Amino acid sequence: MFIKSTFFEDYQLNDKRVTLGRTITETDFVVHAGHTGDFFPHHMDAEWCKTQPFKQRIAHGTMIFSIGIGLTASEINPEAFSRGYDKMRFVKPVHIGDTIHSEITITEKGDHKRPEMGTVTEHVEIINQKGEVVLVCDHLLLVNRKGEQ
Amino acid sequence: MFIKSTFFEDYQLNDKRVTLGRTITETDFVVHAGHTGDFFPHHMDAEWCKTQPFKQRIAHGTMIFSIGIGLTASEINPEAFSRGYDKMRFVKPVHIGDTIHSEITITEKGDHKRPEMGTVTEHVEIINQKGEVVLVCDHLLLVNRKGEQ
Amino acid sequence: MFIKSTFFEDYQLNDKRVTLGRTITETDFVVHAGHTGDFFPHHMDAEWCKTQPFKQRIAHGTMIFSIGIGLTASEINPEAFSRGYDKMRFVKPVHIGDTIHSEITITEKGDHKRPEMGTVTEHVEIINQKGEVVLVCDHLLLVNRKGEQ
Amino acid sequence: MFIKSTFFEDYQLNDKRVTLGRTITETDFVVHAGHTGDFFPHHMDAEWCKTQPFKQRIAHGTMIFSIGIGLTASEINPEAFSRGYDKMRFVKPVHIGDTIHSEITITEKGDHKRPEMGTVTEHVEIINQKGEVVLVCDHLLLVNRKGEQ
Amino acid sequence: MFIKSTFFEDYQLNDKRVTLGRTITETDFVVHAGHTGDFFPHHMDAEWCKTQPFKQRIAHGTMIFSIGIGLTASEINPEAFSRGYDKMRFVKPVHIGDTIHSEITITEKGDHKRPEMGTVTEHVEIINQKGEVVLVCDHLLLVNRKGEQ
Amino acid sequence: MFIKSTFFEDYQLNDKRVTLGRTITETDFVVHAGHTGDFFPHHMDAEWCKTQPFKQRIAHGTMIFSIGIGLTASEINPEAFSRGYDKMRFVKPVHIGDTIHSEITITEKGDHKRPEMGTVTEHVEIINQKGEVVLVCDHLLLVNRKGEQ
């Protein structure tokens, strides 16, 4: 984790970075339920899950999003501001013992009404140990331009 | 927390529900950092924050999203499936000691290619103790139709 | 979780409610030990447990009580006050991987020295995935009477 | 924490032991809510509490019980078995920042249908930093007799 | 846990005490990563570990040290002050499911420039369920002398 | 967090790196006590601490060590193996609200009996918001030599 300025001009379309992986444990399920207050049986009741089509506990969508984004948190860019996320989709369930990592691609750059900034879109794919995408989203950034300097 | 079937036909446009509130504590900041691995100084270093425009630690966006959505988890609807979220925006920062609640409004209903289902959009506003919206998003549901039965 | 007034007159003898279930995980054992400071080997030392008649780690009684009661926390009744618990008994051990739920029955109603209130006893049974009662207790409530209004 | 055999004959009526103290923190409130799933606003919503007679967040009864009993967990007696608790009463609220300790007195000894054992009652008082009792209960033990040996 | 004065003169060379055991769980791995911010794949990525010589996740060295020392925390000696540790060595890896305990031997006593105190060295061995030493260190204490009194 | 090979020849004496900072919270105290089982009143009982020379709760030494080392965990070097730590000293107490960071300096390089490796010593200083060193230690590494290749 370190601080490094990356300006609007430095972001290159199609540039991609890949994070390390992390195994999603039963502990993560329990911590996330306790952190958010969502104790739905889909996540917490192994017996009930056996009676459902998915057969086993499935991770909270908010957890896979939070951990998948957390995996990308290695470089602090003081020139960029997170505006939010678009098009978050839960593509596949994640189960206890799955290992996920994130792949981030710069997919869009645009102007902003404030001329000293530009918009950058990072497309995030969270991928399991079988290579299947489990969650996608677009991270919207507002980034300072280097300008003429 | 209980299970109750709500079908596509039961969702009424503009229906709104309001959750109870929850105070966001320093503990939540530490738990979320530890849960996601995001120890950025914006969330974790009170001294550094004093030197920044925002002056104090600010909550992880993923935490406010996860807890704000968690607050809505009171009624399990076996007819509905969460597809994801759109238009999540971090409108205002949340600080240690702020109290948030969520307000959920049915804002859209639509057809789906699978005729036995329809789409429902819940607009979620997460609101602090001053009545300010801090995060918004649209929750996309796929819901079984009651049909003719 | 929501707020709803239920007065003394509204409690009906023999009324029963059943909670959703929750699987007790190794994580819960570790969290409870860390929360309470009780690291007795019965709960924490799998090797030592193998040498004992019960063969495997057994849950803290205080944990099964706390989680079993927590499962009942879905409806906030501003007319009722918890006075305490009677006759808590550890009927059977709970092991890692067991799934518990709670069943609550109104078993007694009585007068109180303050005439605007009455006493209500909820008998709580915490039950595992085999249908075996693992813990019982009586929850003692003091509840406002509706009165003549 | 250590193992030491104490037989029925060794328990002396009116013997008393006093534990060390522990400050109940906001962290404990958040951990207990997350551990049990009880996010009632009495414990979690500082703003709502300001509008109530008690003005500030109050600890879960199950937490004060669990931590107060946890404080007593220093000596493992392989001759004693916990049967449960009687007469647990929530005498006074505990707030964030209060410091509690426990005092345990042997108040009853009796015969049991199994002649090789006897019953012992430990009266537990959990006491705050002002010397006020906040929770009481009776711990019921079944203890091996030394017998003639 | 209790308070008992032990003076420099009371420490006897070669005296040894042995703690109870504790099973190191996957939960401990996740908690330690979240507590310290060290999410290295050696501890957190089961899939990556399969490709490495050690084949499975290995515990953080700082965790085995912290838990192994924590196991010794049963008796508070107000006459002793911890100066630090020497010669900490990670002798063998600890994996999920291993059970460790600590053995502490008084190996050195010496004078200190402050004549009312002496130095005491406790050699700590942390040992797994197979009897293998996994971590060693020397704990350096400064202890009040009883003096002539 | 990323993987990058750094060989023995690449380590330069006196090279220094400085980590980001982290505020040590009351939550960290509670988490560390629960993680290690060390609930000594020095860390956990605010009332008792008021009666002691240090007046307020002091952090566990093992926590400052674990978090201070955790702060250094940003770059994974597959060529280096941690052998342990020497000369760990608790120089100053850390209190709730202090902010620490770590500074790591290469202070020694040496040969090893295995000629394809060398020894490297990283001197670690953990420093608070006033610039005071609170803990020091020497981290001992065994590092692959690049060799002739």
Side-chain angles (χ1 to χ4, degrees):
Chain A
M1 205 173 62
F2 55 96
I3 300 181
K4 177 174 165 239
S5 278
T6 304
F7 289 92
F8 177 75
E9 291 85 344
D10 300 325
Y11 284 87
Q12 301 296 327
L13 278 180
N14 301 318
D15 264 12
K16 185 174 185 166
R17 63 193 172 98
V18 176
T19 72
L20 291 173
R22 177 165 158 195
T23 301
I24 302 299
T25 65
E26 189 180 60
T27 303
D28 295 305
F29 277 57
V30 175
V31 167
H32 196 77
H35 183 42
T36 63
D38 178 348
F39 287 78
F40 271 19
H42 311 69
H43 318 301
M44 302 302 281
D45 184 338
E47 295 294 325
W48 181 81
C49 287
K50 286 181 194 166
T51 71
Q52 300 295 310
F54 43 88
K55 295 299 178 201
Q56 55 176 311
R57 283 167 284 175
I58 47 179
H60 299 75
T62 51
M63 177 167 79
I64 298 309
F65 173 65
S66 294
I67 291 182
I69 295 301
L71 283 168
T72 73
S74 55
E75 189 178 314
I76 301 163
N77 181 7
E79 313 305 332
F81 309 91
S82 176
R83 302 166 64 202
Y85 289 85
D86 267 350
K87 297 180 194 149
M88 188 198 308
R89 292 295 178 276
F90 304 135
V91 182
K92 271 186 171 289
V94 174
H95 298 297
I96 294 171
D98 283 352
T99 297
I100 62 171
H101 73 278
S102 299
E103 306 194 356
I104 306 100
T105 309
I106 308 301
T107 49
E108 277 188 69
K109 292 181 66 175
D111 291 334
H112 190 257
K113 60 183 175 188
R114 293 166 64 184
E116 73 276 21
M117 303 185 114
T119 62
V120 172
T121 301
E122 296 180 325
H123 182 64
V124 181
E125 292 180 304
I126 304 176
I127 296 173
N128 70 16
Q129 73 279 7
K130 300 176 198 156
E132 300 165 335
V133 174
V134 296
L135 189 152
V136 292
C137 58
D138 282 338
H139 187 196
L140 309 184
L141 296 171
L142 205 52
V143 189
N144 287 326
R145 291 177 193 269
K146 224 177 282 188
E148 307 195 0
Q149 300 194 312
Chain B
M1 203 173 63
F2 55 96
I3 300 181
K4 179 174 164 238
S5 277
T6 303
F7 289 92
F8 177 74
E9 293 85 344
D10 301 325
Y11 284 87
Q12 301 297 327
L13 277 180
N14 301 318
D15 265 12
K16 183 173 187 168
R17 63 192 173 98
V18 175
T19 72
L20 290 172
R22 178 167 158 194
T23 301
I24 301 300
T25 65
E26 188 179 63
T27 304
D28 295 304
F29 276 57
V30 175
V31 168
H32 196 77
H35 184 41
T36 63
D38 178 348
F39 287 78
F40 271 19
H42 312 67
H43 317 303
M44 302 304 280
D45 184 337
E47 296 294 325
W48 180 81
C49 287
K50 286 180 194 166
T51 70
Q52 299 295 310
F54 42 89
K55 296 297 178 200
Q56 56 176 311
R57 284 167 284 174
I58 48 179
H60 299 74
T62 51
M63 177 168 79
I64 299 308
F65 172 66
S66 293
I67 292 182
I69 295 302
L71 285 168
T72 73
S74 56
E75 189 177 315
I76 301 163
N77 181 8
E79 313 305 333
F81 309 90
S82 176
R83 303 165 63 202
Y85 289 84
D86 268 350
K87 296 181 193 148
M88 187 198 307
R89 293 295 179 274
F90 304 135
V91 183
K92 270 186 173 288
V94 173
H95 299 296
I96 294 170
D98 283 353
T99 296
I100 61 172
H101 74 277
S102 299
E103 306 194 356
I104 307 99
T105 309
I106 308 302
T107 49
E108 279 189 69
K109 293 181 65 175
D111 290 335
H112 189 255
K113 60 184 176 189
R114 294 167 63 185
E116 73 277 19
M117 300 185 116
T119 61
V120 171
T121 301
E122 295 180 327
H123 181 64
V124 180
E125 292 180 304
I126 304 177
I127 296 174
N128 69 16
Q129 74 279 7
K130 300 177 199 157
E132 300 165 335
V133 174
V134 296
L135 189 153
V136 292
C137 59
D138 282 338
H139 187 195
L140 308 184
L141 297 170
L142 205 52
V143 190
N144 287 325
R145 291 178 194 267
K146 226 176 281 188
E148 305 195 1
Q149 299 194 313
Chain C
M1 206 173 59
F2 56 96
I3 299 181
K4 178 174 164 240
S5 278
T6 304
F7 289 92
F8 178 75
E9 292 86 344
D10 300 326
Y11 284 87
Q12 301 296 326
L13 278 180
N14 301 318
D15 265 13
K16 184 173 187 169
R17 62 193 174 98
V18 175
T19 72
L20 291 172
R22 177 165 158 194
T23 301
I24 302 299
T25 65
E26 189 180 61
T27 303
D28 295 305
F29 276 57
V30 175
V31 168
H32 196 76
H35 184 42
T36 63
D38 178 349
F39 287 79
F40 272 19
H42 311 68
H43 319 301
M44 301 303 281
D45 184 338
E47 295 295 325
W48 180 81
C49 287
K50 286 180 193 165
T51 70
Q52 300 294 310
F54 43 88
K55 295 297 179 202
Q56 56 175 311
R57 284 167 284 175
I58 47 178
H60 299 74
T62 51
M63 178 167 79
I64 300 308
F65 172 65
S66 294
I67 291 182
I69 295 301
L71 284 168
T72 73
S74 57
E75 189 177 315
I76 301 163
N77 181 7
E79 313 305 332
F81 309 91
S82 176
R83 303 166 65 203
Y85 289 85
D86 268 350
K87 296 180 193 150
M88 187 197 306
R89 292 295 178 276
F90 304 135
V91 182
K92 270 186 173 289
V94 173
H95 299 297
I96 294 170
D98 283 352
T99 296
I100 61 171
H101 74 278
S102 299
E103 307 195 356
I104 306 99
T105 309
I106 308 299
T107 49
E108 278 188 70
K109 293 182 64 175
D111 291 335
H112 189 256
K113 60 184 175 187
R114 294 167 62 184
E116 73 276 19
M117 302 185 116
T119 61
V120 171
T121 301
E122 296 181 325
H123 182 64
V124 180
E125 291 180 304
I126 304 177
I127 295 173
N128 70 15
Q129 73 279 8
K130 300 175 198 156
E132 299 165 335
V133 174
V134 296
L135 189 151
V136 292
C137 58
D138 283 338
H139 187 196
L140 309 184
L141 297 170
L142 203 55
V143 189
N144 287 325
R145 291 177 193 269
K146 225 178 280 186
E148 306 193 1
Q149 298 195 315
Chain D
M1 206 172 61
F2 56 96
I3 299 182
K4 178 174 163 237
S5 278
T6 304
F7 289 91
F8 178 74
E9 292 85 344
D10 301 325
Y11 284 87
Q12 301 297 326
L13 278 180
N14 301 318
D15 265 12
K16 184 173 186 169
R17 62 192 175 100
V18 175
T19 72
L20 291 172
R22 177 166 158 195
T23 300
I24 301 300
T25 65
E26 189 179 62
T27 304
D28 295 303
F29 277 57
V30 174
V31 168
H32 196 76
H35 184 43
T36 63
D38 178 348
F39 288 78
F40 272 20
H42 312 68
H43 318 303
M44 302 303 281
D45 184 337
E47 296 294 324
W48 181 80
C49 287
K50 286 181 194 165
T51 70
Q52 299 294 310
F54 43 88
K55 297 297 178 200
Q56 56 175 311
R57 284 167 284 176
I58 48 180
H60 299 75
T62 51
M63 177 168 79
I64 299 308
F65 173 65
S66 294
I67 291 182
I69 295 301
L71 284 168
T72 73
S74 54
E75 189 177 314
I76 301 163
N77 181 8
E79 313 305 332
F81 310 91
S82 176
R83 303 165 64 202
Y85 290 85
D86 268 351
K87 297 181 192 150
M88 187 198 307
R89 294 294 179 276
F90 304 134
V91 182
K92 270 187 173 288
V94 173
H95 299 297
I96 294 170
D98 284 351
T99 296
I100 61 172
H101 74 277
S102 299
E103 305 194 358
I104 306 100
T105 309
I106 308 301
T107 49
E108 278 189 69
K109 294 182 63 174
D111 290 336
H112 189 256
K113 60 184 175 187
R114 295 168 63 185
E116 73 277 20
M117 301 185 116
T119 61
V120 172
T121 302
E122 295 180 326
H123 182 65
V124 180
E125 292 180 305
I126 305 177
I127 295 173
N128 70 15
Q129 73 280 8
K130 300 175 197 158
E132 299 165 335
V133 174
V134 296
L135 189 153
V136 293
C137 59
D138 283 338
H139 187 196
L140 309 184
L141 298 170
L142 205 52
V143 190
N144 287 325
R145 291 177 194 270
K146 226 176 279 187
E148 306 194 3
Q149 300 195 315
Chain E
M1 204 172 63
F2 55 97
I3 299 182
K4 178 174 164 239
S5 278
T6 304
F7 289 92
F8 178 74
E9 292 85 344
D10 301 326
Y11 284 87
Q12 301 296 327
L13 277 181
N14 300 319
D15 264 12
K16 184 174 185 166
R17 62 194 174 98
V18 176
T19 72
L20 291 172
R22 178 167 158 193
T23 300
I24 301 300
T25 66
E26 189 180 61
T27 303
D28 295 304
F29 277 56
V30 175
V31 168
H32 196 77
H35 184 42
T36 63
D38 177 348
F39 287 78
F40 271 19
H42 311 69
H43 318 302
M44 301 303 282
D45 184 339
E47 296 294 326
W48 180 81
C49 287
K50 286 181 194 165
T51 70
Q52 299 296 310
F54 42 89
K55 295 299 178 201
Q56 56 177 311
R57 285 167 282 175
I58 48 178
H60 300 74
T62 51
M63 178 167 78
I64 299 308
F65 173 65
S66 294
I67 292 182
I69 295 301
L71 284 168
T72 73
S74 55
E75 188 177 317
I76 301 163
N77 181 7
E79 313 306 332
F81 310 91
S82 176
R83 302 166 64 202
Y85 289 85
D86 267 351
K87 296 180 194 150
M88 188 198 307
R89 293 296 178 275
F90 304 134
V91 182
K92 269 187 173 288
V94 174
H95 298 297
I96 294 170
D98 283 351
T99 297
I100 61 171
H101 74 278
S102 299
E103 306 194 356
I104 306 100
T105 309
I106 308 302
T107 49
E108 278 189 69
K109 291 181 66 175
D111 291 334
H112 189 256
K113 59 184 175 188
R114 293 167 64 185
E116 73 276 20
M117 301 186 116
T119 61
V120 172
T121 301
E122 296 181 326
H123 182 64
V124 180
E125 292 180 306
I126 305 177
I127 296 173
N128 70 14
Q129 73 279 7
K130 300 176 199 157
E132 300 164 335
V133 174
V134 297
L135 188 152
V136 292
C137 58
D138 282 338
H139 187 195
L140 309 184
L141 297 170
L142 204 53
V143 189
N144 287 325
R145 291 177 194 268
K146 225 177 280 187
E148 307 194 359
Q149 299 196 311
Chain F
M1 203 173 64
F2 56 96
I3 299 181
K4 179 175 165 237
S5 277
T6 304
F7 289 92
F8 177 75
E9 292 86 344
D10 300 323
Y11 284 86
Q12 301 297 326
L13 277 180
N14 300 319
D15 264 11
K16 184 173 187 168
R17 63 192 173 99
V18 176
T19 72
L20 291 172
R22 179 167 158 194
T23 301
I24 301 300
T25 66
E26 189 180 60
T27 303
D28 295 304
F29 277 56
V30 175
V31 168
H32 195 76
H35 184 42
T36 63
D38 177 348
F39 287 79
F40 271 18
H42 311 69
H43 318 302
M44 300 304 280
D45 184 338
E47 296 294 325
W48 180 81
C49 287
K50 286 181 194 165
T51 70
Q52 299 295 309
F54 43 88
K55 295 298 178 201
Q56 57 176 311
R57 284 167 284 176
I58 48 179
H60 299 74
T62 51
M63 176 167 80
I64 299 308
F65 172 65
S66 294
I67 291 182
I69 295 302
L71 284 169
T72 73
S74 56
E75 189 177 315
I76 301 164
N77 181 7
E79 312 306 332
F81 309 92
S82 176
R83 303 166 65 202
Y85 290 85
D86 268 350
K87 298 182 193 146
M88 188 198 307
R89 293 295 178 276
F90 304 134
V91 182
K92 270 186 173 288
V94 174
H95 298 296
I96 294 170
D98 284 353
T99 296
I100 61 171
H101 74 279
S102 299
E103 305 194 357
I104 306 99
T105 309
I106 308 300
T107 48
E108 278 188 68
K109 294 182 64 176
D111 290 334
H112 189 256
K113 61 185 174 186
R114 295 168 63 183
E116 74 276 21
M117 302 185 114
T119 61
V120 171
T121 301
E122 295 180 326
H123 181 64
V124 180
E125 291 180 304
I126 305 177
I127 296 173
N128 70 15
Q129 74 279 7
K130 299 176 200 158
E132 299 166 333
V133 174
V134 296
L135 189 152
V136 292
C137 59
D138 282 338
H139 187 196
L140 309 184
L141 298 170
L142 205 52
V143 190
N144 287 326
R145 292 178 193 269
K146 227 177 281 188
E148 307 195 1
Q149 299 195 313

